Amino acid sequence: MTRLNELSFAELHTMNGSELEQYAERGEASRSDLSRGVVHQLHLSDNWLCDMEHRCEFGAGAPVNIRLSMKSHPPVVVCLTSSSDDVPYWQVSLPFDCGASVAWLCCSETFEPALIFDALRTLETLVATGLNTPEQLAAALRKTGGAV
């Protein structure tokens, strides 16, 4: 794979945790390519900033570990992690209470950009109603059963 030849949705969708781990173990460049492929498939709106983990600085241990934050509300950070050998699910969560708790937005056995997009859109909608802290968003998600 070259920089011009990003991972396709089909490739990402069919990779299981072990395959993602093997791909990431090729080195930092391959791990970055994997994360960039995921971000490319998300088709993020201009409302979101993206920070991709490079050397396990986020501590999740997954091959893909991405932090998405809202430009208008930087304290609202969404964590996206891929499946791995240890955890067989792609997960999207919203940390709150200074990271002591998380609200689960979606969980899937395969990479599903549409689910992730819907979770982000739900957060954008809640922020538009005036909720602007992770704690307020988590409470609103709990009330509505907001996990996607």
Side-chain angles (χ1 to χ4, degrees):
M1 182 175 92
T2 67
R3 300 264 181 236
L4 300 173
N5 219 1
E6 292 188 11
L7 286 163
S8 70
F9 165 73
E11 290 170 311
L12 289 166
H13 181 74
T14 59
M15 291 174 91
N16 64 32
S18 292
E19 292 167 329
L20 288 162
E21 292 269 5
Q22 290 170 6
Y23 195 97
E25 287 171 359
R26 295 179 190 172
E28 285 302 314
S30 292
R31 187 163 187 237
S32 292
D33 288 343
L34 191 59
S35 294
R36 271 193 301 280
V38 168
V39 171
H40 178 75
Q41 295 299 320
L42 293 179
H43 304 288
L44 296 171
S45 74
D46 287 340
N47 298 331
W48 295 94
L49 296 172
C50 177
D51 189 15
M52 296 180 288
E53 180 181 64
H54 294 285
R55 291 183 180 84
C56 299
E57 63 268 29
F58 298 155
V64 174
N65 195 339
I66 298 169
R67 299 288 186 262
L68 302 167
S69 57
M70 296 188 81
K71 284 182 183 178
S72 61
H73 295 83
V76 177
V77 176
V78 176
C79 303
L80 165 62
T81 56
S82 68
S83 60
S84 66
D85 283 333
D86 296 329
V87 179
Y89 302 104
W90 286 79
Q91 303 172 34
V92 180
S93 62
L94 172 73
F96 64 100
D97 290 338
C98 297
S101 302
V102 296
W104 295 103
L105 301 174
C106 67
C107 185
S108 176
E109 290 182 354
T110 57
F111 176 60
E112 300 290 348
L115 284 177
I116 298 165
F117 181 82
D118 288 345
L120 297 177
R121 189 173 46 200
T122 297
L123 287 179
E124 290 174 332
T125 300
L126 290 171
V127 167
T129 68
L131 304 174
N132 56 21
T133 68
E135 291 74 20
Q136 291 171 336
L137 293 167
L141 290 167
R142 191 172 325 130
K143 270 187 191 176
T144 62
V148 190

